[in-house]
């Protein structure tokens, strides 16, 4: 049966791995390629690289990193961060990325999703959505969660599905960095309102949080960064615990 | 030498790296002569069936592929295109394997994305790969069970996760992305008598 995926997220700045708490205060957590290879060996199911650098060399640095990652690992990986054109996507896929994630650029120009799905196929287009609750309503936010919009999370999710997205990566800004668990209610609703695979992001602190994201939140995958990077949760142990709880996970013999 | 058929349909970098890790020399090409002469051929594919078939027809590769005699491995869309017809865009495939490609229906999420277990593997491709081993898949369309099915998986019911007819092999999953088990499958393909 199709298994639930565990996805370490590597935030990348200028070719190095970083992780911010609530997207600010960055701490260095190592070399992305070495970290990626280590996670692949620990049976992470997939990796996400999120590039947060804002330099002119950004594209070239990222494309180069993608190539090095593709050469080193044999599990799928997604690349995101500032992707806004067909050319951006073409070079990343050409260098070996399996999927790309688009976020702010898609909110500003929703037709980008149609164009990318048409050109490259839905299977490689992940739409990342950062949202937080404002007066009880889940509102989509831009630029790493700093800028609120009027868009409702669920309406936007349905729209991106219509436009050809192949997967949703939902980050709750209310939960990100808190280590208090994922936004399970909103996650479950995303699975009801769309028919796309959903990656849960934001809030992982312990193993129970992952099982809750899969059972209560009905997520297809759960993403986390610092709990993995700083060794607070080891992926083999996490997967064994999930398996004991009858949650389908991949454990290669 | 392994010829990877280049028809502009998707990402072949990971496949090339996987072959490199196995020490297999390979070339990405659309040249009919090189493909004909190659010891083995890999037919990758990604994206929509319609635009992929258009590219194959434009380059004449649609005529060449069914005549090949060496072991050929279709991956993902490459496997689906070995069939006669795809519901995706209502296009005709290469017709090497009878049957058509259908879209996942029912209550499952589409695309199927992730690692699924495979059952009943019965082809030299699966030597050392066991019941219940996992492979990585991303697809919205599937090949129903048929007489060429050589491994099955389940997603809203059983379907063909691998096909074989004579020298034509196909896998729905991405061996190049399926960690050690995927690597083993590629290794098995490289060992098939040419």
């Amino acid at each position: 049966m199709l298994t639930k995926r565990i996805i370490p997220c590597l935030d990348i700045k200028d070719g190095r791995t970083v992780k911010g708490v609530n997207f600010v205060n960055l701490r260095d957590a190592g070399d992305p390629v070495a970290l990626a290879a280590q996670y692949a060996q620990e049976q992470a199911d997939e990796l996400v690289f999120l590039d947060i650098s804002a330099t002119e060399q950004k594209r070239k640095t990222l494309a180069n990193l993608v190539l090095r990652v593709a050469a080193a690992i044999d599990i799928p990986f997604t690349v995101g961060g500032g992707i806004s054109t067909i050319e951006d996507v073409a070079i990343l896929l050409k260098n070996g990325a399996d999927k790309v994630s688009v976020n702010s650029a898609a909110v500003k120009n929703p037709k980008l999703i149609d164009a990318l799905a048409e050109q490259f196929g839905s299977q490689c287009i992940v739409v990342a959505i950062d949202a937080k609750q404002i007066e009880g309503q889940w509102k989509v936010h831009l630029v790493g969660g700093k800028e609120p919009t009027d868009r409702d999370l669920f309406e936007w999710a349905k729209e991106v599905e219509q436009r050809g997205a192949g997967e949703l990566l939902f980050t709750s800004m209310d939960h990100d960095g808190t280590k208090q668990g994922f936004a399970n209610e909103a996650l479950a609703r995303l699975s009801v309102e769309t028919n796309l695979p959903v990656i849960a992001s934001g809030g992982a602190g312990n193993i129970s949080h992952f099982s809750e994201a899969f059972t209560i939140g009905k997520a297809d995958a759960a993403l986390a960064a610092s709990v993995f990077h700083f060794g607070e949760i080891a992926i083999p142990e996490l997967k064994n615990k999930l398996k004991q709880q009858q949650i389908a996970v991949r454990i290669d013999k | 030498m392994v010829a990877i058929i280049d028809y502009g349909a998707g990402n072949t970098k990971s496949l090339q790296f996987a072959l490199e890790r196995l020490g297999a020399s390979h070339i990405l090409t659309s040249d009919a002569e090189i493909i004909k002469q190659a010891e083995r051929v890999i037919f990758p594919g990604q994206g929509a069936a319609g635009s992929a078939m258009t590219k194959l027809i434009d380059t004449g590769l649609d005529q060449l592929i069914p005549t090949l005699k060496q072991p050929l491995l279709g991956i993902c869309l490459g496997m689906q295109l070995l069939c006669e017809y795809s519901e995706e865009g209502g296009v005709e495939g290469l017709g090497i394997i009878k049957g058509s490609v259908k879209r996942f229906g029912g209550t499952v999420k589409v695309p199927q994305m992730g690692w699924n277990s495979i059952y009943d593997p019965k082809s030299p491709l699966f030597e050392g790969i066991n019941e219940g081993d996992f492979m990585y898949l991303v697809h919205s369309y599937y090949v129903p069970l048929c007489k060429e099915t050589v491994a099955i998986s389940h997603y809203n019911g059983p379907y063909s996760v691998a096909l074989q007819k004579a020298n034509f092999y196909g896998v729905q999953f991405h061996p190049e992305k399926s960690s050690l088990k995927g690597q083993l499958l590629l290794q098995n393909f490289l060992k098939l008598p040419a």
Side-chain angles (χ1 to χ4, degrees), chain A:
Chain A
M1 96 189 265
L2 182 65
T3 54
K4 302 289 188 182
R5 287 169 284 153
I6 300 297
I7 308 179
C9 176
L10 287 71
D11 287 3
I12 304 295
K13 192 175 183 197
D14 306 325
R16 296 276 299 168
T17 314
V18 285
K19 172 61 191 175
V21 176
N22 275 331
F23 291 110
V24 217
N25 300 327
L26 304 173
R27 274 168 79 184
D28 200 341
D31 166 40
V33 180
L35 200 54
Q38 185 190 320
Y39 285 135
Q41 200 180 10
E42 289 178 359
Q43 298 196 23
D45 297 300
E46 205 172 306
L47 300 171
V48 167
F49 294 85
L50 188 62
D51 190 25
I52 56 169
S53 49
T55 58
E56 278 177 35
Q57 300 81 35
K58 171 184 170 129
R59 276 183 197 184
K60 216 174 150 189
T61 312
L62 183 61
N64 190 275
L65 175 65
V66 166
L67 197 63
R68 285 163 53 220
V69 171
I73 69 167
D74 54 7
I75 61 168
F77 66 99
T78 301
V79 181
I83 292 171
S84 59
T85 65
I86 287 183
E87 293 71 43
D88 290 342
V89 173
I91 182 82
L92 296 172
L93 295 179
K94 188 167 168 274
N95 280 8
D98 298 280
K99 301 185 263 185
V100 294
S101 81
V102 288
N103 191 334
S104 300
V107 177
K108 289 174 189 156
N109 170 23
K111 284 186 182 150
L112 177 67
I113 301 167
D114 307 63
L116 294 176
E118 158 93 29
Q119 179 97 11
F120 305 106
S122 295
Q123 83 289 338
C124 62
I125 308 303
V126 181
V127 173
I129 308 178
D130 297 338
K132 69 173 166 193
Q133 294 176 89
I134 297 175
E135 293 168 359
Q137 301 290 311
W138 281 97
K139 294 291 182 190
V140 176
H141 282 60
L142 299 180
V143 267
K146 291 190 199 96
E147 190 183 303
T149 73
D150 285 337
R151 280 184 193 274
D152 173 77
L153 164 65
F154 304 101
E155 291 307 313
W156 177 232
K158 281 189 269 190
E159 183 177 339
V160 306
E161 178 177 30
Q162 288 296 315
R163 289 182 181 277
E167 188 168 40
L168 298 174
L169 195 179
F170 163 53
T171 303
S172 164
M173 308 306 305
D174 292 335
H175 297 72
D176 196 58
T178 65
K179 298 197 173 184
Q180 299 294 307
F182 294 91
N184 296 318
E185 234 172 90
L187 280 166
R189 204 176 143 195
L190 282 173
S191 278
V192 170
E193 303 220 13
T194 76
N195 198 37
L196 292 176
V198 178
I199 304 171
S201 160
N206 60 42
I207 288 176
S208 302
H209 294 152
F210 286 87
S211 34
E212 287 159 12
F214 296 135
T215 52
I216 306 167
K218 297 183 168 37
D220 300 282
L223 175 148
S226 54
V227 289
F228 296 139
H229 301 329
F230 300 119
E232 291 158 35
I233 296 179
I235 293 173
E237 189 199 352
L238 168 61
K239 287 185 141 186
N240 279 322
K241 287 274 165 59
L242 292 172
K243 193 182 177 188
Q244 283 166 18
Q245 297 169 31
Q246 318 300 324
I247 294 169
V249 287
R250 171 182 70 111
I251 299 176
D252 279 345
K253 292 165 280 259

Side-chain angles (χ1 to χ4, degrees), chain A residues 1-3 5 45 67 70-71 74-76 93-94 96-99 123 166-167 191 195-197 220 250, chain B residues 11 13-14 17 21 46-47 108-117 133-134 136 138 155 176-179 183:
Chain A
M1 96 189 265
L2 182 65
T3 54
R5 287 169 284 153
D45 297 300
L67 197 63
D74 54 7
I75 61 168
L93 295 179
K94 188 167 168 274
D98 298 280
K99 301 185 263 185
Q123 83 289 338
E167 188 168 40
S191 278
N195 198 37
L196 292 176
D220 300 282
R250 171 182 70 111
Chain B
N11 165 9
K13 207 59 163 186
S14 298
F17 280 132
R21 285 191 290 263
Q46 215 178 43
V108 294
K109 293 186 175 188
V110 181
Q112 165 170 234
M113 194 174 282
W115 301 76
N116 204 334
S117 33
D133 279 351
F134 298 99
Y136 181 77
V138 189
Y155 197 61
E176 76 280 17
K177 285 288 162 182
S178 295
S179 197
Q183 184 177 316

